[in-house]
Amino acid sequence: MTPLDDFDRAAAAVLTVVTAVRDDQWTLPTACADWDVRAVVNHLAHGNAKVAFWAGSGPPVPDGDYLGADRRAAFAASVAAARAVLAAPGLFTRQVTTPLGEVPGVFLVHMRVNEYLAHGWDIADATGQSRDLVPDLAGRALEQWRARFGSAPRQPGGPFGPEVEAPPGATEADRLAAFLGRKAVGG
C-alpha cells in the first residue's frame, strides 16, 4: 500500500461518516469541547484547503466557513481537492513547510490521515455512528502519536488534552481518541 492508498481509505471512512450526518445533528457537541459537528467538519475542510498552501501550490488559506449551505458536497469537494494536490508528481520527496516545520511532502498525507481518523471519530461519536474507523490505520496513527508525544505533558489550550483511559473493549480508533484526550460524548 502507498501513502495515497492510506489517504483514500481514511478519506472514504470520514466521507461515509460526514455523509451520514443527519440535518438535525450538525449542532451536536463533540469531544472537541469548543466545536459542534459542523465546526469539526469545517475544520477538516479548512485543513484540506491548507494542503495546497503547505505543498507550495496555492495561496495562504484564511479561517472561515468552508462548507456553505451544502455541507456534505463541500466537504467531499475539499477531500478531492486535497487528494489532487497530494497526488502531484514529486511531492512526496520534496520538502514542504508546515506548522510543524520543514518536512518531506509525504508528511502532508500522514497529517490528513491522522486528522481524518481523529476528527472522523469525533463526528461518529457525536452522531451515534460506528467509531471503529479503519482499524489498521488507527493503530498506526496511535503509534505515530505515541512516538511524537511520548509521556510529555500536553499544553493547556492545545489541540489535544491529556490522555484518558480507553474504555473496556476499545477499538484501535477508540484507543487513538483516548490517547489524544478525547472522551466519548455520544455514548
Side-chain angles (χ1 to χ4, degrees), residues 37-83:
V37 170
R38 188 185 195 288
V40 172
V41 176
N42 189 66
H43 169 73
L44 286 173
H46 183 227
N48 289 337
K50 287 180 181 179
V51 168
F53 174 66
W54 292 327
S57 61
V61 180
D63 290 340
D65 181 14
Y66 284 82
L67 299 179
D70 192 346
R71 297 167 282 232
R72 293 170 194 87
F75 180 69
S78 78
V79 170
R83 191 195 191 284

Side-chain angles (χ1 to χ4, degrees), residues 117-118 121 131-133 135-143 145-146 154 162-183:
L117 294 173
W121 185 94
R131 299 182 308 237
D132 191 15
L133 305 176
D136 62 307
L137 289 180
R140 279 193 277 154
L142 177 56
E143 289 175 18
W145 283 112
R146 282 194 190 284
R154 315 267 171 91
E163 182 175 5
V164 298
E165 186 175 337
T171 66
E172 291 293 331
D174 288 336
R175 284 192 272 285
L176 172 62
F179 180 75
L180 298 175
R182 287 161 161 74
K183 294 179 186 175

Side-chain angles (χ1 to χ4, degrees), residues 6 16 30 36 61 67-68 92 111 132 136 144 151-152 155 163:
D6 290 347
T16 297
T30 69
D36 62 12
V61 180
L67 299 179
F92 287 7
M111 285 175 60
D132 191 15
D136 62 307
Q144 291 170 357
S151 60
Q155 297 300 318
E163 182 175 5

Side-chain angles (χ1 to χ4, degrees), residues 10 47 55 82 94 122 126-127 135 158 183:
R94 68 180 170 79
D122 295 330
T127 59
K183 294 179 186 175

